Structure formats: C-alpha cells, structure tokens
Amino acid sequence: MTQKKIRNMEEFAAVSGISRPTVSKYFHDPESVRASTRARIEEALERYEYRPNVYAMNQNRRLTKNIGIVVPYLADPFFAEIARNIEQRCIDAGYRPTLYSSHGIPELEVEILDGLRSLKPAGVLLAPLGRASIKGEIERFCKAVPTVIFDSNIEGMGAAFIGSDNASFVDQTVEYLSRSGTAPSFFEMRHPANPNANKRRIAYLTRMEKLGLSPHVISVGGEGWAFEEIGRQGCLTMLERDELPTDTVLCSNDRLAIGFLSACYEKNLRVGIGADCDLRVASMDDHPFARFTCPPLTTAAHDYEAVSNRSVETLFELIEAGGKFANRTETLYPARLILRASA
C-alpha cells in the first residue's frame, strides 16, 4: 500500500500509467475496456486506495453521453483539423460527439447552443465567434451546461479556456523577419471574421514598437470567410496602386497568405529568399496546405494536438467535478516557427 493521496481521476491516470480517456471509460462501464486493461486499473485502485467521487459520477450518469463541439466555420481547415482531433478523443473515451458550425453567424451560434441545451449533453466544447458572439446568450448557456471554451477566449465565460498564445505567433515571425531582412508590413482584413485577428494586429504593433521599428498595417476590404479570395483581391489592388510599403509581408493568417501568393504569381512577382526574389511573405497558423503553396509558406504553427487534447481532458475533468470548477482556468500554448521557402 502507498500513502500517496489521489485526489481525482486525472491524478489516478497519471500515477497508474493508464490514459485518462481509458480510465474514464472504465468508471462509466468496466466491461467497455479490455480485460488486461481492466485488471491493471483494478490493481492500481487497490495500490493507491483510490475511490472516485461516487456522488459526482452518479450525477454525471443522469446525463446523456452526448458532447457538443461547436466551431465558427467547419469548412476552414484549421477548425476542421482541431475538431477532428477533439472528436476522436471523445469517441475513444466512450462519448458521442456531434460537430456544429455556426458559419460565422452570431444568431446561428445561439440557435445551435439552444438546440444543444435540449439534448442535455454531458458537456460542450465551444470555439465561439468571439467579439461577434452575442455574449449574453453565451454566458447564459455556459451557466446551464458544462462548457470549455477553446481557440477564442471570451473573458470570464465557460469553466475554462484553452487556446494558442497569439502574441507568440507574432513575436516569433516579426523578430525572425526583421533579423533576416526588411521588417514586415502586416496584411489583414479590415473587418476580420477570424476571432483572433485583432489580437494579432495589436501584437504586431506592440512587437514593432519594442524593436524600435516603424509598423505598416495594410487593411484590405472584404467580409466573411473567403479569406483566400479576399487576400488575392486585396493584394492585386495594392500592387496595382504601388502601395506596398516594404518588400516583406506578414499576413494575419495563412489563408490570406495563400491568396496573397496567388496575386503575386499573377503579377509575375517572385516570392522567396533568393537574390532574384521580389518579396518575402510569411504568415501564422500552419494551415494544413501551407507546406504545399508555391513557394512553401513560412509560418508560425499552432500546437493542434496540445490544444485539442487539453480541451478534451479539461471537459472530462469538468464533467467528473459535477459541471463546475472552483476557479476558471486559462491555458495558452505558444506557437512554433516553421521556416520554409517563402521567407
């Protein structure tokens, strides 16, 4: 026997060397895991004298096994990738996840959440529209349903927030571009649909000021989620008017950068780091297609796996805690700079 006191299922999973989803699956239905795994869990239960919170588990069993996953725009490859990871983790733990897309429409986001309430889900993983969300409705939902917010934070809402540190995306790209050549201009949408876009512009201005460099923000027209075409049209207009302030451009996200690269190709401008190149272009997100652009795109990458795994683990902890935490937590993962041929 050991004197170590195990306080919750997360700690039990860590000390027993068995994955958190497998442990959760066992406690909901011991017969749902392999006999050898079941034996390991039961041996660890005796060794660590751990007994789960039966009251909380009984409360949880009154709920369905449904988990809602809500994102702003499922056709966006970033959200598709992170939702795929989250969905698989939920399935592995014995839950039934359902994906929803709000298509960038605040009213549809509210409608989805209202529908989810009627399904009495065990919990919800919500990537909100952010500043476009109807915050009163989001707050009302989070009070009624165990909710973990990911990707775009809404201050004080949900039991926890898990996302990427947008400042680290900008800090790494600006410092690298400034060190290796001309300091970058910042290329963005004037009215961005992406909930993290404004944070990135502010981070760009802050970092340029700290480096003692002059910022240049290029804000192009266009609304909605057709980022590639907005980036292409914005770049074409800027090039035709000869309004590009520097020969290095940092795009607010990879989808805008893909459109920017297309416009450069149309105008016979060579993008890259060679002596014969006209421009350097970099971006942020590490879109699944970023390494296939021409040239391959230098970008700061999300830690997709860390964000999705921690989001799901936090939701499981919330469900086991009876739907409430003592304190709201925020977890941010830094970006990782990936150097390719575009800059």
Side-chain angles (χ1 to χ4, degrees):
M1 294 290 182
T2 179
Q3 297 302 310
K4 180 177 176 62
K5 178 67 174 177
I6 306 299
R7 295 172 299 175
N8 54 45
M9 205 177 296
E10 186 74 19
E11 290 186 2
F12 175 73
V15 299
S16 64
I18 300 164
S19 75
R20 171 66 184 71
T22 300
V23 170
S24 179
K25 198 173 182 181
Y26 168 86
F27 282 122
H28 283 287
D29 179 9
E31 298 300 320
S32 65
V33 301
R34 292 195 299 265
S36 58
T37 303
R38 188 163 62 248
R40 287 179 59 203
I41 293 173
E42 290 169 355
E43 187 274 332
L45 286 171
E46 290 301 319
R47 184 177 359 131
Y48 294 105
E49 298 182 315
Y50 173 63
R51 295 296 179 268
N53 186 329
V54 175
Y55 173 76
M57 290 182 63
N58 285 338
Q59 287 292 100
N60 293 337
R61 286 185 179 128
R62 294 176 190 173
L63 299 172
T64 67
K65 299 291 286 182
N66 299 324
I67 285 180
I69 305 168
V70 186
V71 299
Y73 196 66
L74 194 52
D76 186 305
F78 163 73
F79 289 113
E81 177 68 12
I82 200 166
R84 180 188 65 80
N85 290 345
I86 286 173
E87 182 182 38
Q88 189 60 57
R89 287 293 306 275
C90 292
I91 292 170
D92 291 344
Y95 287 95
R96 293 188 295 270
T98 304
L99 288 173
Y100 300 86
S101 172
S102 59
H103 294 275
I105 304 170
E107 293 77 13
L108 181 55
E109 183 175 65
V110 172
E111 185 178 323
I112 289 168
L113 297 179
D114 286 343
L116 275 168
R117 287 188 68 176
S118 67
L119 295 176
K120 300 187 183 302
V124 168
L125 289 155
L126 169 64
L129 297 176
R131 62 187 173 279
S133 293
I134 302 173
K135 293 183 173 57
E137 295 295 331
I138 301 293
E139 184 177 20
R140 184 169 65 90
F141 177 83
C142 291
K143 287 180 178 179
V145 178
T147 303
V148 170
I149 290 179
F150 69 98
D151 182 61
S152 177
N153 195 10
I154 300 181
E155 192 70 31
M157 297 190 195
F161 168 71
I162 294 92
S164 297
D165 183 354
N166 282 282
S168 79
F169 282 76
V170 179
D171 289 350
Q172 292 185 61
T173 49
V174 168
E175 289 184 9
Y176 164 71
L177 293 170
S178 301
R179 185 176 67 251
S180 58
T182 308
S185 302
F186 189 75
F187 184 82
E188 65 167 7
M189 290 170 60
R190 186 173 297 113
H191 303 292
N194 188 309
N196 291 312
N198 286 340
K199 295 183 180 71
R200 293 180 178 183
R201 175 173 27 83
I202 293 168
Y204 165 78
L205 294 171
T206 301
R207 179 52 53 180
M208 291 289 282
E209 181 181 357
K210 287 182 178 178
L211 293 174
L213 300 169
S214 298
H216 300 280
V217 177
I218 305 165
S219 299
V220 300
E223 297 183 3
W225 288 81
F227 297 167
E228 293 84 359
E229 183 59 20
I230 291 169
R232 174 180 168 273
Q233 289 292 346
C235 181
L236 285 174
T237 299
M238 182 184 58
L239 292 174
E240 288 165 0
R241 296 174 179 174
D242 195 23
E243 294 178 345
L244 186 62
T246 67
D247 62 5
T248 301
V249 177
L250 174 60
C251 295
S252 179
N253 64 65
D254 286 353
R255 292 183 59 196
L256 282 176
I258 290 170
F260 193 101
L261 291 176
S262 176
C264 290
Y265 175 79
E266 289 184 43
K267 291 297 184 179
N268 294 314
L269 293 176
R270 188 175 178 86
V271 175
I273 55 179
D276 59 340
C277 293
D278 302 295
L279 294 171
R280 294 188 303 158
V281 177
S283 187
M284 293 171 276
D285 284 339
D286 197 25
H287 182 295
F289 301 155
R291 62 194 177 102
F292 300 113
T293 59
C294 188
L297 189 60
T298 287
T299 185
H302 287 276
D303 191 336
Y304 289 92
E305 185 172 357
V307 171
S308 56
N309 286 351
R310 187 59 197 148
S311 296
V312 174
E313 288 167 359
T314 302
L315 183 64
F316 291 163
E317 293 168 9
L318 180 62
I319 293 169
E320 289 160 15
K324 291 184 179 180
F325 288 149
N327 298 294
R328 185 181 189 270
T329 60
E330 294 187 6
T331 305
L332 297 178
Y333 290 94
R336 177 171 58 93
L337 184 63
I338 298 178
L339 300 180
R340 299 191 179 108
S342 72

PDB file of all heavy atoms in Angstrom, residues 9 32 63 68 75 110 116 145 223 225 243 281 286 290 297:
ATOM      1  N   MET A   9      -9.495  11.780 -10.750  1.00  0.00           N
ATOM      2  CA  MET A   9      -9.235  10.781 -11.764  1.00  0.00           C
ATOM      3  C   MET A   9      -8.017  11.133 -12.625  1.00  0.00           C
ATOM      4  O   MET A   9      -7.312  10.246 -13.115  1.00  0.00           O
ATOM      5  CB  MET A   9     -10.471  10.599 -12.641  1.00  0.00           C
ATOM      6  CG  MET A   9     -10.551   9.226 -13.298  1.00  0.00           C
ATOM      7  SD  MET A   9     -12.068   9.009 -14.246  1.00  0.00           S
ATOM      8  CE  MET A   9     -13.300   9.097 -12.964  1.00  0.00           C
ATOM      9  N   SER A  32     -16.304  -2.105 -20.829  1.00  0.00           N
ATOM     10  CA  SER A  32     -16.015  -1.461 -22.112  1.00  0.00           C
ATOM     11  C   SER A  32     -14.522  -1.425 -22.436  1.00  0.00           C
ATOM     12  O   SER A  32     -14.130  -1.037 -23.537  1.00  0.00           O
ATOM     13  CB  SER A  32     -16.559  -0.030 -22.121  1.00  0.00           C
ATOM     14  OG  SER A  32     -15.871   0.772 -21.168  1.00  0.00           O
ATOM     15  N   LEU A  63     -26.828  12.274 -17.125  1.00  0.00           N
ATOM     16  CA  LEU A  63     -26.713  12.991 -18.384  1.00  0.00           C
ATOM     17  C   LEU A  63     -26.582  12.003 -19.537  1.00  0.00           C
ATOM     18  O   LEU A  63     -26.296  10.826 -19.355  1.00  0.00           O
ATOM     19  CB  LEU A  63     -25.477  13.897 -18.355  1.00  0.00           C
ATOM     20  CG  LEU A  63     -25.461  14.977 -17.274  1.00  0.00           C
ATOM     21  CD1 LEU A  63     -24.094  15.643 -17.249  1.00  0.00           C
ATOM     22  CD2 LEU A  63     -26.547  15.998 -17.532  1.00  0.00           C
ATOM     23  N   GLY A  68     -21.220  18.134 -27.376  1.00  0.00           N
ATOM     24  CA  GLY A  68     -21.308  19.052 -28.497  1.00  0.00           C
ATOM     25  C   GLY A  68     -19.967  19.717 -28.760  1.00  0.00           C
ATOM     26  O   GLY A  68     -19.257  20.095 -27.825  1.00  0.00           O
ATOM     27  N   ALA A  75     -15.689  24.471 -42.496  1.00  0.00           N
ATOM     28  CA  ALA A  75     -15.001  24.338 -43.779  1.00  0.00           C
ATOM     29  C   ALA A  75     -13.588  24.910 -43.729  1.00  0.00           C
ATOM     30  O   ALA A  75     -12.778  24.639 -44.618  1.00  0.00           O
ATOM     31  CB  ALA A  75     -15.800  25.024 -44.883  1.00  0.00           C
ATOM     32  N   VAL A 110     -26.140  31.029 -31.498  1.00  0.00           N
ATOM     33  CA  VAL A 110     -27.117  30.967 -30.403  1.00  0.00           C
ATOM     34  C   VAL A 110     -28.119  29.843 -30.646  1.00  0.00           C
ATOM     35  O   VAL A 110     -28.470  29.098 -29.721  1.00  0.00           O
ATOM     36  CB  VAL A 110     -27.837  32.316 -30.240  1.00  0.00           C
ATOM     37  CG1 VAL A 110     -28.990  32.198 -29.240  1.00  0.00           C
ATOM     38  CG2 VAL A 110     -26.863  33.395 -29.789  1.00  0.00           C
ATOM     39  N   LEU A 116     -28.556  22.475 -28.357  1.00  0.00           N
ATOM     40  CA  LEU A 116     -27.746  21.602 -27.509  1.00  0.00           C
ATOM     41  C   LEU A 116     -28.314  21.494 -26.104  1.00  0.00           C
ATOM     42  O   LEU A 116     -28.292  20.419 -25.495  1.00  0.00           O
ATOM     43  CB  LEU A 116     -26.306  22.127 -27.451  1.00  0.00           C
ATOM     44  CG  LEU A 116     -25.385  21.697 -28.588  1.00  0.00           C
ATOM     45  CD1 LEU A 116     -24.088  22.507 -28.570  1.00  0.00           C
ATOM     46  CD2 LEU A 116     -25.077  20.213 -28.499  1.00  0.00           C
ATOM     47  N   VAL A 145     -24.851  24.661 -18.925  1.00  0.00           N
ATOM     48  CA  VAL A 145     -24.239  23.443 -19.483  1.00  0.00           C
ATOM     49  C   VAL A 145     -22.734  23.469 -19.216  1.00  0.00           C
ATOM     50  O   VAL A 145     -22.091  24.507 -19.435  1.00  0.00           O
ATOM     51  CB  VAL A 145     -24.495  23.365 -21.006  1.00  0.00           C
ATOM     52  CG1 VAL A 145     -23.816  22.136 -21.600  1.00  0.00           C
ATOM     53  CG2 VAL A 145     -25.984  23.346 -21.303  1.00  0.00           C
ATOM     54  N   GLU A 223     -15.485  40.843 -46.513  1.00  0.00           N
ATOM     55  CA  GLU A 223     -16.077  40.270 -45.309  1.00  0.00           C
ATOM     56  C   GLU A 223     -16.379  38.793 -45.527  1.00  0.00           C
ATOM     57  O   GLU A 223     -16.449  38.315 -46.654  1.00  0.00           O
ATOM     58  CB  GLU A 223     -17.362  41.023 -44.945  1.00  0.00           C
ATOM     59  CG  GLU A 223     -17.122  42.491 -44.600  1.00  0.00           C
ATOM     60  CD  GLU A 223     -18.390  43.200 -44.161  1.00  0.00           C
ATOM     61  OE1 GLU A 223     -19.441  42.537 -44.076  1.00  0.00           O
ATOM     62  OE2 GLU A 223     -18.323  44.414 -43.904  1.00  0.00           O
ATOM     63  N   TRP A 225     -15.770  34.542 -44.835  1.00  0.00           N
ATOM     64  CA  TRP A 225     -14.733  33.542 -44.626  1.00  0.00           C
ATOM     65  C   TRP A 225     -14.002  33.132 -45.903  1.00  0.00           C
ATOM     66  O   TRP A 225     -13.218  32.187 -45.889  1.00  0.00           O
ATOM     67  CB  TRP A 225     -15.342  32.311 -43.950  1.00  0.00           C
ATOM     68  CG  TRP A 225     -15.676  32.580 -42.520  1.00  0.00           C
ATOM     69  CD1 TRP A 225     -16.787  33.215 -42.040  1.00  0.00           C
ATOM     70  CD2 TRP A 225     -14.881  32.271 -41.382  1.00  0.00           C
ATOM     71  NE1 TRP A 225     -16.733  33.310 -40.671  1.00  0.00           N
ATOM     72  CE2 TRP A 225     -15.579  32.734 -40.239  1.00  0.00           C
ATOM     73  CE3 TRP A 225     -13.650  31.636 -41.201  1.00  0.00           C
ATOM     74  CZ2 TRP A 225     -15.083  32.591 -38.950  1.00  0.00           C
ATOM     75  CZ3 TRP A 225     -13.153  31.489 -39.915  1.00  0.00           C
ATOM     76  CH2 TRP A 225     -13.865  31.958 -38.810  1.00  0.00           C
ATOM     77  N   GLU A 243       1.246  50.382 -53.687  1.00  0.00           N
ATOM     78  CA  GLU A 243       1.097  50.818 -52.299  1.00  0.00           C
ATOM     79  C   GLU A 243       1.772  49.896 -51.288  1.00  0.00           C
ATOM     80  O   GLU A 243       1.585  50.056 -50.089  1.00  0.00           O
ATOM     81  CB  GLU A 243      -0.393  50.940 -51.947  1.00  0.00           C
ATOM     82  CG  GLU A 243      -1.114  52.044 -52.705  1.00  0.00           C
ATOM     83  CD  GLU A 243      -2.597  52.117 -52.387  1.00  0.00           C
ATOM     84  OE1 GLU A 243      -3.131  51.142 -51.806  1.00  0.00           O
ATOM     85  OE2 GLU A 243      -3.212  53.147 -52.713  1.00  0.00           O
ATOM     86  N   VAL A 281       7.218  36.602 -47.952  1.00  0.00           N
ATOM     87  CA  VAL A 281       5.874  36.518 -47.384  1.00  0.00           C
ATOM     88  C   VAL A 281       5.875  35.450 -46.289  1.00  0.00           C
ATOM     89  O   VAL A 281       6.349  34.326 -46.503  1.00  0.00           O
ATOM     90  CB  VAL A 281       4.820  36.171 -48.458  1.00  0.00           C
ATOM     91  CG1 VAL A 281       3.428  36.019 -47.815  1.00  0.00           C
ATOM     92  CG2 VAL A 281       4.787  37.243 -49.545  1.00  0.00           C
ATOM     93  N   ASP A 286       0.011  27.728 -39.631  1.00  0.00           N
ATOM     94  CA  ASP A 286       0.404  26.460 -40.250  1.00  0.00           C
ATOM     95  C   ASP A 286      -0.833  25.705 -40.721  1.00  0.00           C
ATOM     96  O   ASP A 286      -1.103  24.571 -40.327  1.00  0.00           O
ATOM     97  CB  ASP A 286       1.242  25.581 -39.328  1.00  0.00           C
ATOM     98  CG  ASP A 286       1.966  24.485 -40.120  1.00  0.00           C
ATOM     99  OD1 ASP A 286       2.208  24.692 -41.319  1.00  0.00           O
ATOM    100  OD2 ASP A 286       2.274  23.425 -39.537  1.00  0.00           O
ATOM    101  N   ALA A 290      -0.302  24.848 -46.025  1.00  0.00           N
ATOM    102  CA  ALA A 290       0.766  25.855 -46.091  1.00  0.00           C
ATOM    103  C   ALA A 290       2.051  25.300 -46.686  1.00  0.00           C
ATOM    104  O   ALA A 290       2.778  26.009 -47.384  1.00  0.00           O
ATOM    105  CB  ALA A 290       1.022  26.426 -44.699  1.00  0.00           C
ATOM    106  N   LEU A 297       5.057  28.015 -47.540  1.00  0.00           N
ATOM    107  CA  LEU A 297       4.856  29.196 -46.718  1.00  0.00           C
ATOM    108  C   LEU A 297       5.558  29.106 -45.363  1.00  0.00           C
ATOM    109  O   LEU A 297       5.334  28.162 -44.595  1.00  0.00           O
ATOM    110  CB  LEU A 297       3.357  29.400 -46.512  1.00  0.00           C
ATOM    111  CG  LEU A 297       2.877  30.698 -45.862  1.00  0.00           C
ATOM    112  CD1 LEU A 297       3.300  31.914 -46.692  1.00  0.00           C
ATOM    113  CD2 LEU A 297       1.360  30.662 -45.717  1.00  0.00           C
TER     114      LEU A 297
END
